[in-house]
Amino acid sequence: MKVVLQDLVKQYPSSSSIAVNHVNLTIENGELAVFLGPSGCGKTTTMRIIAGLETPDSGHVFIGERDVTDLASKDRRVAMVFQNFSMYPSMTVYENIAFPLQVLKLSKDEIDRQVKEAAGLVGVGHLLQRSSRQVSGGEAQRVALARSMVRRPEVFLMDEPLSSLDAKLRIQMRTEIKRLHQETGTTIVFVTHDQEEAMSLGDKIVVMDHGNVQQVGTPQEVFFNPRNVFVANFVGTPTMNMFDGTVKPNGGGLCVDLAGIELKLPERFPGASTGMPVKWGVRPESVKLVDDGQPGDVPGTIELIEALGSRQQVFVRAADKLFSAMIDALHPVRVGENVHLRFDHRGTHLFNAQTGLSLAEPH
Ligand SMILES: Nc1ncnc2c1ncn2[C@@H]1O[C@H](COP(=O)(O)OP(=O)(O)O)[C@@H](O)[C@H]1O
Ligand SMILES: [Mg+2]
């Protein structure tokens, strides 16, 4: 089912800041949308409003074509999975999954069919007769998914369901949620503060900060075309290099003066004008290290090297600034070495320092 949030506002009486600030959003039927943002940005509150567990101060929630704003949670056909799922310890895995169906007073055969189908989809079919005490954290999380699935929700809400799992299991479960989504076609809203998890899962990423939606786009859009400084800094690991500067004339075009470094600006930034205070950024993946400098390259000295498997992150000091570059692990480098930085201009970004907004032309 399609989910539409229309001008949602929520402020907790005990809190001075707004948890959800005029949020407008459309999640298409069958889409996997990810809410991404730092702790406290309003992700859980927005989810709880969709689920009907929290009442907005103003605004509307539509599921399908229906305005559900005043509808009780149980009548919304949404299922919510939380970070810390607990099973009923005295029950078997089977009984845990069957529980919501027993409440609905379905026949034994029908319950059996639905439990097995849901368990099979999340890969816990072989655990059904186990006691809840005998399953691992990852298995418990799958049981949680199966238990919410048997209610046949039209919308799945998952609030950081993987964050209590260890790194390896988290990546495995990510794949399974993606498969679950493909096989059921159910609309899923998934919350995380982990940008890598968001990028790997989402059809659509909703970047939030301080109750505001900062950008909505595909993983590629928010990575390659961040619309403001917040999104540019929050999305991508390692973080984008970003420095303050001023736009200046340069020949027939423009350059950015980063106090000690002058860089010609490509024509992609029609919003830039002479004298404007800006923030200039480049992703570490778009910084190359070259031995022989050409005009436009920036000389610097290697200060620190971090090995990261197939890649290495190299920190280079240039004109009092520290740049990070992500390069191939086999590229020979050593601390103290003099190098030149070369920026792939497709990976560079420019923002108005006052508004924080991107000066790049929209793609
Ligand atoms: N029950 C509550 N009472 C008061 N303030 C709350 C409550 N729940 C959340 N908040 C506040 O609302 C803001 C958004 O919180 P939340 O939606 O939990 O963010 P997130 O899930 O992104 O971490 C935060 O400032 C938080 O402190
Ligand atoms: Mg939360």
Side-chain angles (χ1 to χ4, degrees):
M1 281 282 177
K2 177 166 154 175
V3 177
V4 177
L5 307 182
Q6 201 177 74
D7 210 22
L8 279 186
V9 176
K10 175 75 185 181
Q11 178 161 19
Y12 293 100
S14 57
S15 172
S16 56
S17 57
I18 295 189
V20 178
N21 192 9
H22 296 279
V23 165
N24 288 287
L25 182 68
T26 299
I27 298 161
E28 300 297 341
N29 183 27
E31 199 165 46
L32 201 172
V34 177
F35 287 2
L36 170 67
S39 178
C41 73
K43 304 181 297 293
T44 294
T45 304
T46 309
M47 292 284 260
R48 289 176 58 84
I49 292 173
I50 300 173
L53 301 171
E54 205 73 70
T55 313
D57 299 341
S58 60
H60 292 267
V61 178
F62 295 85
I63 296 179
E65 298 306 319
R66 211 161 50 133
D67 185 339
V68 299
T69 317
D70 298 320
L71 212 59
S73 183
K74 65 177 172 47
D75 300 323
R76 292 191 185 192
R77 299 200 62 181
V78 300
M80 194 153 168
V81 183
F82 298 94
Q83 174 181 348
N84 294 309
F85 167 69
S86 52
M87 287 201 277
Y88 304 109
S90 59
M91 294 184 187
T92 62
V93 167
Y94 185 101
E95 289 161 343
N96 265 281
I97 300 173
F99 189 76
L101 297 173
Q102 274 153 358
V103 176
L104 296 178
K105 302 209 168 21
L106 299 179
S107 76
K108 224 172 159 188
D109 284 352
E110 182 56 21
I111 291 177
D112 192 60
R113 200 185 60 72
Q114 290 196 28
V115 169
K116 286 180 175 155
E117 184 187 304
L121 265 173
V122 297
V124 294
H126 60 296
L127 299 175
L128 288 171
Q129 297 318 318
R130 287 248 187 110
S131 145
S132 310
R133 294 193 189 86
Q134 296 168 322
V135 300
S136 68
E139 289 163 349
Q141 210 60 12
R142 286 177 219 212
V143 175
L145 280 177
R147 193 167 78 174
S148 48
M149 277 166 63
V150 292
R151 268 176 278 178
R152 308 202 166 216
E154 284 165 345
V155 180
F156 247 126
L157 305 175
M158 304 186 180
D159 191 358
E160 314 223 15
L162 310 183
S163 52
S164 59
L165 306 177
D166 67 48
K168 197 167 167 192
L169 198 55
R170 222 164 58 212
I171 290 169
Q172 198 182 329
M173 284 295 288
R174 221 193 251 175
T175 315
E176 305 211 353
I177 287 174
K178 203 137 192 167
R179 195 195 338 262
L180 177 75
H181 177 240
Q182 274 164 13
E183 284 176 15
T184 61
T186 309
T187 307
I188 298 182
V189 188
F190 186 101
V191 162
T192 181
H193 62 272
D194 177 340
Q195 56 91 26
E196 201 182 302
E197 190 167 281
M199 302 291 263
S200 74
L201 265 178
D203 297 323
K204 175 184 270 175
I205 311 270
V206 180
V207 186
M208 290 185 71
D209 186 37
H210 289 106
N212 296 300
V213 171
Q214 297 288 342
Q215 186 167 359
V216 181
T218 62
Q220 291 75 24
E221 280 163 352
V222 297
F223 184 84
F224 290 105
N225 300 312
R227 67 176 292 271
N228 59 35
V229 169
F230 177 81
V231 177
N233 278 321
F234 196 76
V235 173
T237 352
T239 316
M240 185 186 287
N241 296 286
M242 201 177 283
F243 304 104
D244 290 318
T246 311
V247 177
K248 279 190 176 170
N250 173 283
L254 294 171
C255 72
V256 59
D257 181 352
L258 302 177
I261 300 173
E262 278 198 9
L263 299 167
K264 234 170 115 56
L265 283 177
E267 284 170 12
R268 287 190 301 115
F269 303 116
S273 58
T274 299
M276 183 185 268
V278 291
K279 287 182 185 293
W280 176 89
V282 63
R283 295 222 180 262
E285 297 84 355
S286 298
V287 182
K288 261 204 240 163
L289 303 188
V290 293
D291 297 329
D292 296 320
Q294 289 174 7
D297 294 344
V298 176
T301 309
I302 295 179
E303 201 166 285
L304 195 76
I305 301 166
E306 269 180 42
L308 299 165
S310 65
R311 317 279 292 157
Q312 55 185 339
Q313 189 175 9
V314 180
F315 293 87
V316 177
R317 179 76 59 185
D320 281 346
K321 295 170 189 23
L322 198 59
F323 287 83
S324 89
M326 275 295 256
I327 63 169
D328 197 287
L330 297 176
H331 185 111
V333 282
R334 60 176 173 77
V335 171
E337 187 183 350
N338 291 325
V339 291
H340 287 84
L341 301 171
R342 185 173 297 167
F343 308 118
D344 177 352
H345 77 83
R346 287 166 304 182
T348 63
H349 300 265
L350 196 70
F351 304 94
N352 180 319
Q354 263 133 27
T355 63
L357 292 175
S358 172
L359 298 167
E361 60 197 6
H363 286 246

